[in-house]
Amino acid sequence: MSAKTLDFWFEFASSYSYLSVMRIEPLARDAGVTINWRPFLLGPVFLSLGWNDSPFNIYPPKGRYMWRDLARLAARYGLPLTMPSRFPRSGVLAARVAILGAAEPWIGDFARAVMSANFANDQDIADPAVIHAILTRLGLPADALLADATAEPNKLALRRQTEQATERGLFGAPSFITPDGEMFWGNDRLEDALAWVVDGPTI
């Protein structure tokens, strides 16, 4: 019997990725599904679609709706939420670290800590000091990880993963891709994606 897995494509600057990052591990564990963490950058994806900013900034009514919707959902899930003083923040450094740790046992803790820094504590996750502090709190070798994260091979790894997101047809985050190639987009499709993996196609 093949292992049940789900590719989880997320962006540290993405508001709805915040909700999914904070929720996905216990849901996947209960479903018996292994998560493949796929950090990527939305900026190049948006540029390929002709946008030079988040659509939530380009279209103010959509942005106002998003923040209200996020507040409702965060309250439902029991998650803290503080509207970042800058949106979107650069998630490049955090994503480079996450690329290094994607298959490591600390990836979930790291991703949640970064998301909490950005969307609960209004900290600048582009600041190396913020990421260093997160890694240190997790008991990880912060200096070594940051050095490896910013080395050219790892930069290229993140760039390639972002290119793969575009090649797979991703246009936003979070996105979930099942082993048979089915794509689900949005935090509200997390449970549906897990069910597809566990129960198989419904159509």
Side-chain angles (χ1 to χ4, degrees):
M1 184 175 182
S2 59
K4 295 181 174 65
T5 63
L6 182 67
D7 286 353
F8 173 35
W9 295 81
F10 66 101
E11 224 275 20
F12 284 108
S14 160
S15 54
Y16 286 106
S17 287
Y18 164 57
L19 301 178
S20 287
V21 163
M22 304 305 284
R23 300 191 312 122
I24 194 169
E25 280 200 327
L27 291 175
R29 184 168 52 247
D30 289 347
V33 174
T34 298
I35 297 301
N36 298 321
W37 295 79
R38 303 288 189 226
F40 74 111
L41 301 178
L42 275 174
V45 174
F46 287 163
L47 284 174
S48 73
L49 299 172
W51 301 333
N52 61 3
D53 197 355
S54 166
F56 295 126
N57 289 339
I58 294 173
Y59 307 107
K62 188 172 187 175
R64 288 191 294 271
Y65 173 83
M66 181 271 289
W67 289 114
R68 182 58 186 159
D69 187 48
L70 203 71
R72 291 192 299 255
L73 291 170
R76 178 195 299 177
Y77 301 142
L79 296 172
L81 177 67
T82 299
M83 182 175 176
S85 51
R86 179 180 178 183
F87 178 83
R89 286 193 169 108
S90 172
V92 173
L93 180 58
R96 287 172 176 167
V97 174
I99 283 281
L100 285 177
E104 300 295 331
W106 50 264
I107 180 59
D109 289 335
F110 174 76
R112 286 187 291 273
V114 173
M115 287 298 197
S116 293
N118 194 15
F119 291 103
N121 302 322
D122 192 20
Q123 292 180 290
D124 185 2
I125 60 171
D127 184 349
V130 171
I131 303 300
H132 190 285
I134 288 171
L135 292 168
T136 300
R137 285 199 302 272
L138 294 175
L140 298 169
D143 290 336
L145 284 171
L146 285 173
D148 290 344
T150 54
E152 196 60 27
N154 195 64
K155 291 181 180 180
L156 291 173
L158 177 58
R159 189 177 309 158
R160 179 57 187 146
Q161 183 135 293
T162 299
E163 291 169 352
Q164 289 175 355
T166 302
E167 292 164 1
R168 297 294 297 271
L170 271 66
F171 51 86
S175 292
F176 315 92
I177 298 183
T178 65
D180 62 349
E182 194 76 10
M183 182 171 71
F184 295 81
W185 168 59
N187 167 70
D188 57 344
R189 294 296 181 264
L190 169 55
E191 286 87 349
D192 290 346
L194 289 168
W196 189 280
V197 172
V198 173
D199 300 328
T202 57
I203 60 171

